[in-house]
């Protein structure tokens, strides 16, 4: 990476490969690009590992077992038959090598059941909803942190990789259809970074919703930036809701692994209801369980997760989750109250099998990317795997495309001429955005609600845009990005037929298929 300063004192950086984001997808892309000999700059707005969803991942990472075909079928079945079979083949085909090479041999992740560095088959394999066999590697119920923290440490020590933390990418730099890097907001000023190739790995869109399992910074920045630059965005209607989040103060996720170990769902009348909904009962696909939990909460007031069937007992099997319950004075023996919460974006920036977007030299990987693997509904514990597999592929291909290819272009720095915005500005707009998304673009949707949401969010976007024309701040750009993503979701949802986690309940549930979307509505 090279660095210089302009006459106005602005830092100008050049790099072969720029990776935006430091979750599993960004780390994997940086690793693969550096291994290919590229100079890599990782720019992340994170100031700590827990700013990435990766750090929050609980249940684990799925790996292909002896029979790849069963894994393939499980992914396709969970997606309601909408996943792209070729993308699923890549996920299933690359899984073992990627996990063994990066997580076991390179990072020595201490998976449960065997010493670090053991063979993949020696570790304990857990089971989660819609998996027909035990295939999930885990570290207690906090797998993500045990993957991400060693990954970040490893990359920080890597000669070819430079990290810029607390550095937010605002917009892509484009010229004649090619992406040349980003504008970065860092230490209060905006600086261009020119890159031979740029990889977006910015995670999900949980901040669009009031009820979410995601960290606060999941504001959909990569999807919004790519949409503004004209990249194809697809499948935004497929927002997955996790069925079992604790809904009280300080919410937390209760991993599907708990149901995988036998826990059952009971409604407010104490009845187990899932066997009447789906043959696989509590282990039905996520979208099915989320809808059933919502319906039973509406009908009987609450749903609890009865953990008494877990062997030998819940505290021994899931000590991390037991601790989260204790911190909130929830006694697991009474059942843990649960409700659906926004969890994962299955759609996003459309990419091919190497993570290439529709724009030259722009790549995407992880939750912000739409690979086709998840279709309309993601199978549990395949997100870390997808981020790892596509991150490695995108990083390697970006290194080829970006070697010695950084070019400085004329850029127009965003205007920052307005006085400070009042603090209430962002919080008041977020409140309106989230109320709209929770009430109209949730687990169950109607066309009337979706139309109402579209017009509310369109107005909101207009109000936010008026400020971003003259003012630069992290909170304002995050709000802009969340609003753009919300609009993309509401628009795609109002146009697409029901499938998987996009469930339209009014009679006229047929819409036109959403082939792609852009930031304008
Ligand atoms: C509570 C919870 C439990 C989960 N459990 C599992 C599980 O057991 N198994 C599984 O497979 N999946 C699980 N998931 C899903 C999975 O963790 C995520 O989908 C996955 O980690 C996403 O990885 P990522 O690298 O794409 O994004 P993230 O890990 O979210 O990383 C995104 C990064 O981009 C940075 N960033 C964002 N915008 C910008 C910007 N403008 N400029 C610079 N940097 C930016 C962020 O700071 C962050 O570092 C879980 C998710 C949650 C929230």
């Amino acid at each position: 990476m090279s660095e210089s300063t302009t006459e106005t004192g602005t830092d100008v950086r050049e790099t072969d490969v720029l990776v935006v984001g430091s979750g599993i997808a960004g780390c994997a892309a940086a690793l693969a690009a550096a291994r290919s000999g590229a100079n890599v700059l990782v720019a992340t707005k994170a100031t700590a590992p827990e700013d990435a969803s990766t750090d929050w991942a609980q249940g684990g990472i799925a790996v292909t077992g002896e029979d790849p075909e069963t894994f393939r079928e499980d992914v396709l079945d969970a997606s309601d038959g909408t996943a792209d079979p070729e993308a699923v083949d890549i996920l299933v085909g690359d899984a073992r090598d990627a996990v063994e090479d990066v997580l076991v041999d390179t990072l020595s992740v201490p998976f449960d059941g065997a010493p670090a560095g053991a063979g993949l088959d020696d570790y304990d394999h857990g089971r989660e909803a819609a998996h027909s066999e035990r295939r999930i590697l885990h570290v207690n119920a906090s797998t993500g942190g045990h993957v991400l923290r060693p990954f970040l440490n490893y990359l920080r020590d890597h000669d070819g990789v430079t990290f810029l933390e607390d550095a937010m990418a605002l917009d892509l730099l484009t010229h004649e259809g090619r992406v040349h890097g980003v504008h970065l907001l860092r230490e209060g000023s905006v600086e261009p970074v020119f890159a031979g190739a740029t990889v977006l790995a910015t995670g999900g869109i949980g901040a669009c919703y009031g009820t979410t399992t995601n960290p606060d910074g999941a504001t959909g920045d990569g999807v919004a930036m790519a949409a503004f630059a004209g990249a194809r965005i697809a499948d935004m209607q497929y927002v997955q809701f996790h069925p079992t989040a604790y809904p009280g103060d300080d919410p937390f996720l209760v991993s599907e692994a708990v149901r995988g170990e036998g826990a059952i769902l009971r409604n407010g009348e104490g009845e187990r209801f899932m066997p009447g909904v789906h043959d696989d009962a509590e282990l039905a696909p996520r979208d099915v369980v989320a809808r059933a939990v919502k319906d039973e909460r509406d009908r009987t007031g609450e749903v609890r997760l009865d953990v008494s069937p877990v062997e030998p007992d819940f505290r021994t099997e899931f000590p991390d989750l037991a601790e989260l319950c204790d911190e909130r004075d929830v006694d697991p023996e009474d059942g843990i109250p649960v409700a659906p919460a926004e969890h994962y974006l299955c759609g996003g920036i459309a990419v091919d099998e190497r993570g290439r977007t529709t724009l030259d030299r722009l790549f995407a990987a992880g939750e912000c990317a739409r690979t086709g693997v998840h279709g309309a509904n993601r199978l549990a514990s395949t997100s870390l795997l997808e981020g790892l597999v596509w991150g490695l592929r995108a990083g390697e291909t970006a290194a080829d495309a970006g070697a010695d290819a950084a070019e400085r272009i004329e850029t127009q720095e965003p205007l920052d001429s307005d006085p400070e915005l009042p603090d209430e500005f962002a919080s008041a707009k977020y409140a309106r955005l989230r109320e709209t998304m929770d009430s109209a673009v949730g687990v169950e949707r109607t066309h009337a609600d979706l139309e109402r949401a579209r017009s509310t969010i369109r107005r909101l976007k207009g109000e936010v845009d008026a400020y971003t024309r003259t003012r630069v701040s992290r909170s304002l750009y995050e709000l802009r990005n969340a609003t753009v993503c919300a609009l993309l979701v509401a628009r795609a949802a109002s146009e697409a037929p029901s499938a998987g986690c996009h469930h339209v309940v009014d009679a006229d549930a047929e819409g036109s298929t959403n082939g792609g979307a852009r930031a304008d509505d």
Side-chain angles (χ1 to χ4, degrees), residues 69 129 200 231 243 390 450 453 463 473 492:
E69 190 52 32
L200 294 174
W390 257 268
L450 290 169
E463 292 163 29
S473 78

Side-chain angles (χ1 to χ4, degrees), residues 179-261:
V179 172
H180 289 268
V182 300
H183 268 132
L184 210 57
L185 176 63
R186 193 168 151 265
E187 294 173 353
S189 57
V190 178
E191 56 187 76
V193 175
F194 296 108
T198 302
V199 183
L200 294 174
T202 53
I205 62 160
C208 297
Y209 287 84
T211 310
T212 177
T213 63
N214 291 188
D216 292 345
T219 45
D221 298 356
V223 176
M225 286 191 282
F228 277 125
R232 181 169 174 258
I233 310 293
D235 286 353
M236 290 296 284
Q237 69 274 24
Y238 299 138
V239 176
Q240 182 172 69
F241 293 81
H242 199 289
T244 56
Y246 169 67
D249 289 343
D250 200 5
F252 67 97
L253 182 77
V254 185
S255 168
E256 223 147 33
V258 184
R259 275 175 284 134
E261 295 304 323

Side-chain angles (χ1 to χ4, degrees), residues 290-305:
R291 283 196 290 278
V293 169
K294 179 192 179 299
D295 289 349
E296 289 299 317
R297 276 174 56 88
D298 289 349
R299 202 174 65 78
T300 69
E302 69 166 5
V303 169
R304 285 178 182 252
L305 188 64

